[in-house]
Amino acid sequence: MKRREAREQAFALLFAKSINREKIRDIVRAANEVGERPIDDFAETAATGVEANESALDEKISSFTRGWAIGRLSKVSLSILRLAAYEILYEKDIPVGVSINEAVELAKKYGTAEDAPFVNGVLGSLARELETENA
């Protein structure tokens, strides 16, 4: 499975978690039992990583949403932002630009017309902050 497809699976797992409030491992187990395609290792690892770091990710995302509380974000946008922020902050082998681009593409595919620019802006701010910290 290509990384883009695995990332889309990770997004789907996180979106399902936001609706069902189940643990990622339970969602993966159920998906593997009924699905035609098993959940990719990268997708499971990323979704589990987001779940384990959700509070820290939400705090970081909140610092860039300018007047939008986490609870007011759409489940699509929040799932995408959590996944991309996880990749940016914890997956050092994935270039930041790739994580941002893939998140924007997911937002275009699954969100509204406003989601892609919003996701791009939040993640761009996160990337700039990291650049400054690492300079």
Side-chain angles (χ1 to χ4, degrees):
M1 174 178 293
K2 293 181 181 177
R3 180 64 61 97
R4 177 172 278 193
E5 294 167 337
R7 192 175 275 111
E8 195 166 347
Q9 273 191 340
F11 159 72
L13 292 169
L14 294 168
F15 183 75
K17 181 186 185 316
S18 73
I19 293 171
N20 301 336
R21 309 244 186 253
E22 295 178 35
K23 297 282 187 193
I24 292 294
R25 71 173 182 266
D26 296 332
I27 297 168
V28 168
R29 186 179 316 115
N32 283 334
E33 287 175 5
V34 299
E36 294 176 14
R37 293 177 71 169
I39 300 298
D40 183 83
D41 289 340
F42 173 80
E44 185 173 356
T45 298
T48 303
V50 169
E51 181 178 56
N53 295 286
E54 192 171 293
S55 295
L57 293 169
D58 286 356
E59 185 177 321
K60 187 57 86 172
I61 292 165
S62 291
S63 69
F64 300 112
T65 56
R66 296 193 180 100
W68 284 85
I70 287 288
R72 288 188 60 211
L73 299 179
S74 74
K75 290 182 185 338
V76 169
S77 287
L78 184 55
S79 298
I80 293 168
L81 286 169
R82 284 175 173 162
L83 176 59
Y86 169 79
E87 286 184 17
I88 291 168
L89 295 170
Y90 299 101
E91 294 289 336
K92 299 304 180 188
D93 64 321
I94 301 173
V96 172
V98 170
S99 295
I100 293 172
N101 184 57
E102 291 293 321
V104 169
E105 291 304 315
L106 284 170
K108 287 177 183 176
K109 185 172 182 177
Y110 293 102
T112 66
E114 295 83 26
D115 286 334
F118 178 75
V119 165
N120 189 50
V122 170
L123 296 175
S125 296
L126 172 60
R128 283 188 294 281
E129 179 183 86
L130 291 176
E131 272 182 18
T132 303
E133 288 175 1
N134 294 330

